[in-house]
Amino acid sequence: NGDEYNALGEAVRKGQECSYRFMAAMAGNLPGFEAASRALFAGRAADFASRIAAWPPDLRAHVQRLAGPVFQQGQDAVPQHA
């Protein structure tokens, strides 16, 4: 259904934007920030997780919560056109 696909795309975009804003403010100087950002926008959950693995646990946990909608449906469900 097109409406479901659009809703999924909107949830993914919001998750990406919210996650990125928080990451930039709180983790912009941490190792792996740029690679984690690329993985976030590419929908690569395993790569994202590995890039933030060394971040402080509370920060990492919050970023993972914010990014949940991005990875919830898997990469194949992420719309390719924004």
Side-chain angles (χ1 to χ4, degrees):
N1 180 323
D3 289 339
E4 290 175 11
Y5 186 78
N6 288 338
L8 173 62
E10 185 62 24
V12 168
R13 280 187 294 279
K14 284 183 179 180
Q16 287 170 329
E17 291 172 13
C18 186
S19 300
Y20 179 77
R21 284 188 197 122
F22 180 80
M23 287 169 49
M26 300 300 294
N29 292 327
L30 292 178
F33 167 74
E34 290 182 16
S37 297
R38 288 190 294 273
L40 173 70
F41 285 101
R44 297 189 316 261
D47 190 24
F48 180 78
S50 71
R51 302 300 181 171
I52 67 171
W55 293 4
D58 55 342
L59 179 62
R60 183 178 62 240
H62 190 66
V63 168
Q64 288 171 322
R65 275 192 301 277
L66 293 174
V70 176
F71 304 120
Q72 207 166 39
Q73 301 297 324
Q75 184 174 356
D76 294 339
V78 176
Q80 298 301 311
H81 302 21

